[in-house]
Amino acid sequence: MLKKPTSAYVHIPFCTQICYYCDFSKVFIKNQPVDAYLQALIREFERYDIKQLRTLYIGGGTPTAITAQQLDYLLTNLTKNLDLSVLEEFTIEANPGDLTEDKIEVLKQSAVNRVSLGVQTFNDKQLKQIGRSHNEAQIYDTIASLKEAGFDNISIDLIYALPGQTMSDVKENVAKALALDIPHLSLYSLILEYHTVFMNKMRRGKLNLPQEDLEAEMFDYIITELEKNGFEHYEISNFTKPGFESRHNLMYWDNAEYYGVGAGASGYIAGVRYRNQGPIQHYLKAVSEGNARLSEEVLTKEEMMEEELFLGLRKKSGVSIAKFEERFGISFEERYGQVVAELRQQGLLVPDDEMIRMTKKGLFLGDTVAEKFII
C-alpha cells in the first residue's frame, strides 16, 4: 500500500494587482469566474479523497483577493472531510491591503492557524516601484488585526536587492520587521523572471539593481541581525523563532510528496511530478472532463537523487548522508566524494561527516552549489 501524501498545496490565481517582479500563475481578478473556479478546485480536491493532512497551504496569486463569502466557502469545503486533529499547520497567504475585517473574521472561524503576508518592503516609495498596492501603514494595521483575532503564527515576506535599494534601506526594513514581534520571516533577493515588467525594464537598461557584492553584504547583514534577535536561519531564505518553522515548506525541502490542487499548481504523488492546466478556462474545462493535469513526469532514480540534494541543501541542517544512502542504496562517497571535497575546499560546504550542509558563503550562492551535484 502506497503511503498517501500528508500535505496539500491549493492555488488561488487571482490578484487585485499584478506586481512587476512576479511570474507565478495569476490573473487580475476583475471579471474572472471566481465562483466557478472555487467549485472546480473543490471538485479536484475531493477527487483525491483526502482524509488526513499534516499541512495545508493556500497560495497564489492572492488568496485574500476573493470576497469573505468566497473565502468561507473555500476554507469550509477544504476541511469538511479532514481529520482536524492531525492538521498541524494550515497556512494562507495574504496581502496587507486585502485582509478586511470580515475576511479576518472568516479566518478566525476556520481551521487556518498561520498567515503569511506579502509585505516585500516597508518603504512606500519602493512598494509603488514594484507594483504593490498596499502601503506601510496597512502592514501594521493588518498585523495588529491578526494578532487581535488570536493569530500568533504570522510570517512576512520581504524582498531585498530591489532596484535602487541601499544598505540603509535594508537595515530599516530589518529593524521594522523585528519590531513587528512575529515568529517567522522570509527574505528573498530579487530574482528577475521572464515575462515580468522588471525583466523587460532590465532589457531596456532601465533597472538599476544593486551589484552582487552589495547584495552579498545585504544577505550577510540580514542573517547576522536576525540571528542576534533570536531567529534561526533554517533555510536559505527563511528565519524562525524556535518552533515556528514553516512545516509545509520543510516538507518540500525534505522532498516529500504532496497534492497540488488548482490552476497551474504542481504536485508530487506516487513518484509522479505533475502540473495542472494553467489558464483558468483550460483548468475549468479539464476538471469538468475529469483530469486537471497538463503534464506528468515519472522521476527516474537519478532525478530523485538530484532533487533530494537540490532541495535538501536549501536547509541549514542539510542532507543526511546515511538517510540518502538508505533511500537510494548507493555509496555517497563513491558518487559525490570528489564534488564534496572541492566544495569544502572552496569554503562552500561545512566539514561534517554525517551531513552535507552549506556554509554562509555557500548559502548565498545557493543554487550554484547545488548544481555541482548534478552529475
Side-chain angles (χ1 to χ4, degrees):
M1 170 72 184
L2 275 171
K3 262 180 46 196
K4 291 180 91 167
T6 56
S7 292
Y9 172 79
V10 173
H11 192 69
I12 303 296
F14 308 111
C15 290
T16 46
Q17 185 152 343
I18 305 297
C19 303
Y20 300 162
Y21 52 81
C22 177
D23 75 329
F24 288 120
S25 177
K26 81 291 177 181
V27 292
F28 185 54
I29 193 164
K30 208 170 173 203
N31 304 327
Q32 289 292 333
V34 180
D35 289 333
Y37 177 78
L38 294 175
Q39 284 157 14
L41 182 118
I42 295 301
R43 199 183 316 168
E44 186 199 352
F45 187 80
E46 285 175 349
R47 279 190 190 135
Y48 286 114
D49 189 29
I50 303 168
K51 298 282 187 275
Q52 291 195 329
L53 288 173
R54 271 187 57 242
T55 73
L56 179 52
Y57 191 105
I58 304 178
T62 311
T64 48
I66 60 181
T67 67
Q69 206 178 348
Q70 289 165 336
L71 191 60
D72 187 36
Y73 169 85
L74 174 69
L75 299 175
T76 306
N77 283 286
L78 283 175
T79 51
K80 67 178 182 204
N81 299 318
L82 285 185
D83 173 354
L84 293 180
S85 69
V86 185
L87 187 64
E88 296 169 18
E89 182 186 270
F90 185 177
T91 304
I92 189 164
E93 289 179 352
N95 270 347
D98 292 331
L99 266 186
T100 48
E101 247 171 79
D102 52 349
K103 290 179 196 176
I104 290 179
E105 190 52 39
V106 169
L107 293 183
K108 191 178 170 179
Q109 303 302 328
S110 76
V112 169
N113 59 11
R114 183 174 182 272
V115 180
S116 176
L117 283 181
V119 166
Q120 316 320 356
T121 171
F122 291 88
N123 182 312
D124 281 344
K125 193 170 136 224
Q126 280 169 345
L127 282 165
K128 272 209 180 67
Q129 265 179 344
I130 62 177
R132 299 295 281 172
S133 55
H134 67 268
N135 59 30
E136 184 180 3
Q138 285 171 309
I139 299 168
Y140 304 131
D141 290 348
T142 301
I143 287 180
S145 305
L146 283 169
K147 285 184 178 180
E148 214 171 293
F151 289 96
D152 57 353
N153 195 351
I154 300 171
S155 177
I156 64 168
D157 284 358
L158 290 172
I159 302 181
Y160 65 96
L162 286 168
Q165 196 174 40
T166 62
M167 196 62 196
S168 67
D169 291 334
V170 169
K171 288 182 175 176
E172 192 178 326
N173 268 331
V174 170
K176 287 179 173 176
L178 287 168
L180 295 174
D181 188 27
I182 53 173
H184 192 278
L185 303 168
S186 300
L187 286 105
Y188 303 98
S189 66
L190 178 70
I191 292 169
L192 290 179
E193 306 285 5
Y194 289 107
H195 314 301
T196 60
V197 174
F198 272 2
M199 180 58 103
N200 296 335
K201 271 190 150 179
M202 192 190 78
R203 290 196 164 140
R204 298 198 309 270
K206 297 264 197 285
L207 202 62
N208 164 28
L209 292 174
Q211 298 295 317
E212 191 174 334
D213 52 352
L214 176 57
E215 191 184 317
E217 207 182 311
M218 290 173 171
F219 184 68
D220 201 51
Y221 174 82
I222 289 164
I223 296 172
T224 310
E225 199 56 24
L226 292 182
E227 285 181 341
K228 227 170 32 194
N229 284 277
F231 282 87
E232 187 199 340
H233 182 209
Y234 73 106
E235 190 271 346
I236 288 184
S237 308
N238 286 275
F239 298 81
T240 185
K241 287 278 175 76
F244 285 91
E245 294 84 355
S246 163
R247 294 176 192 190
H248 185 80
N249 286 336
L250 277 169
M251 174 275 305
Y252 294 138
W253 303 320
D254 287 338
N255 201 16
E257 297 195 338
Y258 61 97
Y259 302 99
V261 181
S266 302
Y268 184 25
I269 304 176
V272 177
R273 284 217 180 262
Y274 66 88
R275 192 175 184 88
N276 278 351
Q277 292 280 358
I280 288 168
Q281 293 301 343
H282 293 205
Y283 173 76
L284 295 180
K285 184 168 181 281
V287 172
S288 69
E289 288 167 1
N291 180 12
R293 296 182 184 180
L294 169 69
S295 61
E296 294 184 348
E297 183 191 359
V298 181
L299 295 183
T300 63
K301 183 176 156 182
E302 290 291 311
E303 287 168 329
M304 284 181 180
M305 281 164 44
E306 281 175 13
E307 287 196 349
E308 188 90 3
L309 286 162
F310 215 88
L311 294 161
L313 275 168
R314 294 187 61 92
K315 294 178 299 179
K316 195 179 183 182
S317 59
V319 177
S320 154
I321 296 175
K323 272 192 190 156
F324 190 93
E325 292 186 329
E326 186 187 335
R327 181 166 181 184
F328 298 108
I330 61 149
S331 153
F332 198 92
E333 175 56 38
E334 268 176 37
R335 189 178 168 106
Y336 300 108
Q338 182 79 35
V339 180
V340 170
E342 281 170 22
L343 290 169
R344 281 189 181 151
Q345 210 177 345
Q346 292 162 18
L348 300 171
L349 288 182
V350 176
D352 182 332
D353 293 338
E354 289 172 12
M355 305 292 290
I356 299 297
R357 55 196 178 94
M358 296 201 261
T359 57
K360 208 186 241 186
K361 184 179 165 194
L363 286 167
F364 177 66
L365 296 168
D367 291 349
T368 326
V369 177
E371 274 162 13
K372 299 278 193 281
F373 287 92
I374 298 175
I375 295 173

